[in-house]
Amino acid sequence: MSWVEYAIWWHVYPLGLCGAPIREPDTTPGPRLRRLFDWLDYAIELGCSGLLLGPIFESQSHGYDSLDLFRIDPRLGGEADFDELVEQCRSRGLRLVLDGVFSHVGAEYPGVAKALAEGPGAGAGELFDIDWDAPGGPAPRVFEGHASLVRLNHASQETVDFVAKVMKHWLDRGIDGWRLDAAYSVAPEFWAQVTGQVRRHHPDCWLLGEVLHGDYVAFVADSGVDSVTQYELWKAIWSSINDRNFFELDHALRRHNQFLDAFLPNTFVGNHDVTRIASRVGADGAILALAILMTVGGIPSIYYGDEQGYVGVKEERLGGDDDIRPVFPSSPSQFSPLGAHLLRAHQDLIGLRRRHSWLVRARTEPLHLENERLIYRSFAPDGSTHLDVEIDLAGSPAAIIRDDSGEELWSHHS
């Protein structure tokens, strides 16, 4: 799976970028998925090599409450629109990974009512996690307290086969891999059965598990996935900049070295579930965060809009994700010029990473460590080359990247 080592993902929430209604009726249905076509060249010009897409399957509202995992969400379009997206990506050399929500489905998923009506032991009942002895009568168990999200029954062979069937179906249709939503909430043994089935048909697919914390190395080993979301590093990057405490980042980078000994983590400073990096640490801080992201090991992803300096705060309420999942203009030419310097920084740093492809497996070591100033060395595993990265918060935020001859490759001064 050597292609993965060169992957830099542009992470997109399609329902948001394409302007689909989330909680209101769709009064202007149409093939909104095709709006993505106008952004593929932009992703390439950014320096990315693939799309990491959020949910595109039929759902009740935000995409993570699925109604039919074999059907494109009508708010986005249909089969032909998806096939064209695959072809448009393939013609540009862009890889495509889809978001698979296999922890739970929407409460209105058609099989749920059928399972409750048929009772335990019937075929439909094996797919869902139902408490048959609940007070007041049988009731589905839900995901993390959300009544609108019904858990699948991950102890049943029917669920293993169903999830594997969905994954193989869309891999057969031309995608390159899956992000497994809320993978942390499902036993690794379940994933091992699913990934075993899938890899027999698609040995080169890339499987990314969403894991927030815990033993990343054990999860990868026991589940059969290739990678997990490196939330430890994400938190340490923004928190160290925000709190002016690089000791936290140093600790996380030491841990990151250990993870790299076992697998290639998915690294990021933004995604569809967290407050925007520019809202956390400001525009200059966001550039410093990106410099760190692009000079440490792993498979990085850029969340759409971060490259333009978008801001947005996640809130714990209904609609609390809307601010971080915005609609995009119809074309890149309509962007405000205010984000141009962020875009340039992304292009420069992604370009630097692509010119030093060994960075995907790089380890780091600290050369100088203070609360407000960190110099670390990122070096190839064989020790043949390195980059030195200096991040300084003592005055105006600044960063410098030098190669192994001491030549300055990139710098930022606010």
Side-chain angles (χ1 to χ4, degrees):
M1 236 189 319
S2 59
W3 67 266
V4 174
E5 299 200 10
Y6 300 95
I8 298 175
W9 300 106
W10 195 44
H11 183 188
V12 171
Y13 178 73
L15 290 168
L17 181 148
C18 297
I22 302 300
R23 286 170 298 278
E24 304 80 26
D26 189 358
T27 58
T28 57
R32 293 184 178 91
L33 195 64
R34 291 181 173 267
R35 289 191 60 176
L36 277 175
F37 300 173
D38 293 328
W39 291 96
L40 300 182
D41 289 336
Y42 172 86
I44 291 172
E45 290 166 5
L46 182 60
C48 295
S49 59
L51 292 185
L52 176 60
L53 288 189
I56 63 170
F57 306 122
E58 184 178 13
S59 72
Q60 294 170 202
S61 61
H62 47 59
Y64 292 94
D65 44 6
S66 308
L67 295 176
D68 188 342
L69 291 165
F70 290 99
R71 186 186 185 203
I72 301 300
D73 197 304
R75 292 172 293 175
L76 293 174
E79 300 284 312
D81 305 306
F82 172 78
D83 289 341
E84 181 66 18
L85 175 62
V86 171
E87 182 55 36
Q88 292 271 354
C89 287
R90 182 174 292 139
S91 68
R92 292 169 169 82
L94 286 170
R95 298 285 180 166
L96 181 60
V97 168
L98 297 185
D99 208 339
V101 188
F102 304 126
S103 160
H104 52 270
V105 296
E108 298 172 20
Y109 190 94
V112 175
K114 181 181 179 183
L116 291 169
E118 291 181 351
E126 290 299 299
L127 191 59
F128 307 100
D129 187 2
I130 296 175
D131 183 355
W132 299 106
D133 300 315
R141 294 185 176 91
V142 300
F143 174 73
E144 296 184 350
H146 299 285
S148 62
L149 304 176
V150 171
R151 291 284 293 180
L152 293 177
N153 176 16
H154 299 99
S156 77
Q157 188 62 43
E158 284 80 356
T159 306
V160 170
D161 294 342
F162 169 72
V163 171
K165 183 179 179 181
V166 172
M167 292 174 66
K168 288 185 288 186
H169 173 80
W170 296 103
L171 286 163
D172 288 343
R173 296 282 294 273
I175 71 169
D176 298 286
W178 286 95
R179 173 191 178 272
L180 305 176
D181 181 69
Y184 61 86
S185 70
V186 179
E189 294 75 20
F190 171 84
W191 294 121
Q193 294 182 71
V194 171
T195 57
Q197 285 195 35
V198 171
R199 290 199 194 281
R200 283 196 289 273
H201 296 266
H202 296 277
D204 292 331
C205 70
W206 185 62
L207 303 178
L208 166 66
E210 182 194 14
V211 179
L212 307 184
H213 47 69
D215 191 338
Y216 291 165
V217 172
F219 188 92
V220 170
D222 295 342
S223 67
V225 301
D226 298 295
S227 183
V228 297
T229 49
Q230 224 296 37
Y231 268 91
E232 284 190 22
L233 183 62
W234 160 78
K235 195 270 180 181
I237 291 174
W238 69 258
S239 181
S240 293
I241 295 171
N242 189 64
D243 298 344
R244 294 175 177 263
N245 176 20
F246 279 129
F247 286 90
E248 180 181 357
L249 179 58
D250 179 64
H251 175 76
L253 288 174
R254 293 175 191 272
R255 293 262 297 166
H256 193 59
N257 284 341
Q258 297 172 14
F259 301 148
L260 286 160
D261 288 338
F263 69 98
L264 292 175
N266 167 226
T267 56
F268 57 95
V269 294
N271 67 27
H272 66 294
D273 277 331
V274 302
T275 290
R276 290 273 182 181
I277 186 66
S279 291
R280 291 276 193 191
V281 297
D284 284 311
I287 293 175
L288 303 192
L290 181 70
I292 297 166
L293 178 68
M294 286 298 148
T295 54
V296 300
I299 301 170
S301 55
I302 305 297
Y303 186 53
Y304 85 112
D306 281 356
E307 76 282 352
Q308 292 286 341
Y310 272 37
V311 294
V313 176
K314 178 183 173 68
E315 300 178 7
E316 296 301 328
R317 59 173 177 80
L318 181 65
D321 293 316
D322 292 356
D323 203 28
I324 58 174
R325 302 174 179 180
V327 62
F328 254 18
S330 58
S331 73
S333 64
Q334 296 181 348
F335 273 134
S336 162
L338 295 176
H341 69 295
L342 267 296
L343 178 62
R344 183 74 259 169
H346 277 75
Q347 291 172 323
D348 289 345
L349 285 164
I350 293 173
L352 182 149
R353 186 180 185 88
R354 292 177 74 86
R355 291 191 299 275
H356 299 81
S357 58
W358 54 267
L359 280 167
V360 69
R361 295 189 177 276
R363 307 304 195 268
T364 60
E365 62 178 3
L367 302 181
H368 180 91
L369 177 59
E370 302 175 32
N371 281 338
E372 297 184 331
R373 184 166 177 259
L374 171 64
I375 304 175
Y376 63 86
R377 175 164 292 173
S378 285
F379 57 93
D382 63 3
S384 60
T385 188
H386 68 262
L387 298 178
D388 289 341
V389 182
E390 178 178 351
I391 312 291
D392 193 343
L393 300 173
S396 298
I400 301 173
I401 301 172
R402 295 182 173 89
D403 65 15
D404 51 11
S405 70
E407 179 182 353
E408 182 178 305
L409 301 179
W410 176 89
S411 65
H412 172 75
H413 302 275
S414 62

